[in-house]
Amino acid sequence: MDVVLVNYGKGKLTCFPGNLNSALDVIPVDMVVNAMVVAMEVHYAQHQYSCETIYHVGSSSKNPLKLSDLRNLVHYYFTKNPWIDTNGQKVEVGKLIVVFYLINILCCQRFGKIYTNLNRRVKFILRLAEFYKPYSFFTGIFDDRNLERLQRVAEERGIDLAEFNFDSRSIDWEDYIMNSHIPGLLN
């Protein structure tokens, strides 16, 4: 979704179709790595080298980030911290009106250049929508019971889960999106 966020901030993408109630199953990569390290330690200690347990490291079950929340946070971020374009101007994030094709025809093609530019953007949005459809319209929640079991076993073995945190409930999505994720994308 990072392409969507950056293009939105640059003013190139002003709408994105999806189900606003969809829970995005996202997780910071450091939590995935932490879960992998803990799983390797636990399974090595149990001598289960051919373990077939699947650990789903995600957030949709315990701490979902809804598409509507992400939309609001990204809008707030780029309103508070606007993108500066190549001319040194602040980019204002706004709404795209997708009825411009009809207006152009009714006005005898007077807005041909604007229509061409907007039409390119609409096609880009439609390509993104098709690409992200499995994610932005998905309403399922992933089962992470195996990950909970891994946490319990790790605690019993004395593994410091504060140091190797992979509990999605600890994520403050507003803080993460506003202070880590988007700034990290832009730097």
Side-chain angles (χ1 to χ4, degrees):
M1 295 289 291
D2 294 344
V3 170
V4 173
L5 303 182
V6 171
N7 279 292
Y8 175 79
K10 289 181 175 182
K12 295 180 179 180
L13 183 69
T14 55
C15 66
F16 184 76
N19 180 345
L20 292 175
N21 292 318
S22 288
L24 302 173
D25 200 43
V26 295
I27 197 85
V29 70
D30 57 326
M31 289 187 158
V32 175
V33 172
N34 287 344
M36 291 170 62
V37 168
V38 170
M40 287 187 300
E41 173 62 27
V42 165
H43 291 289
Y44 178 78
Q46 293 176 344
H47 304 291
Q48 294 180 356
Y49 304 111
S50 63
C51 178
E52 295 181 13
T53 304
I54 296 173
Y55 298 105
H56 181 80
V57 186
S59 64
S60 63
S61 176
K62 304 287 187 293
N63 187 9
L65 174 65
K66 295 202 174 192
L67 186 56
S68 59
D69 298 330
L70 181 62
R71 179 194 64 177
N72 295 339
L73 290 170
V74 170
H75 180 265
Y76 180 67
Y77 180 88
F78 285 111
T79 300
K80 184 178 169 187
N81 308 290
W83 184 271
I84 306 299
D85 67 14
T86 55
N87 298 321
Q89 301 296 313
K90 293 180 179 179
V91 175
E92 292 185 31
V93 289
K95 305 279 181 191
L96 174 67
I97 301 170
V98 189
V99 294
F100 204 75
Y101 173 77
L102 182 58
I103 293 170
N104 187 43
I105 291 173
L106 294 174
C107 294
C108 303
Q109 305 292 328
R110 284 190 187 154
F111 303 106
K113 279 186 173 179
I114 296 171
Y115 164 71
T116 301
N117 187 28
L118 288 177
N119 190 43
R120 195 171 331 140
R121 289 181 183 185
V122 168
K123 287 181 179 178
F124 175 69
I125 291 166
L126 292 175
R127 281 194 310 272
L128 283 175
E130 186 62 30
F131 182 75
Y132 286 110
K133 184 170 47 174
Y135 313 104
S136 61
F137 289 97
F138 184 74
T139 57
I141 302 296
F142 288 95
D143 180 0
D144 62 356
R145 286 180 282 190
N146 287 343
L147 196 66
E148 285 182 6
R149 279 189 222 112
L150 179 64
Q151 286 176 318
R152 283 193 300 273
V153 171
E155 285 175 338
E156 291 168 3
R157 304 244 165 128
I159 296 173
D160 184 1
L161 291 181
E163 184 176 344
F164 293 100
N165 179 28
F166 54 90
D167 186 352
S168 67
R169 290 174 287 209
S170 68
I171 304 168
D172 176 338
W173 286 117
E174 181 175 352
D175 178 61
Y176 177 74
I177 297 294
M178 300 291 287
N179 299 314
S180 295
H181 192 78
I182 295 175
L185 284 175
L186 304 179
N187 292 326

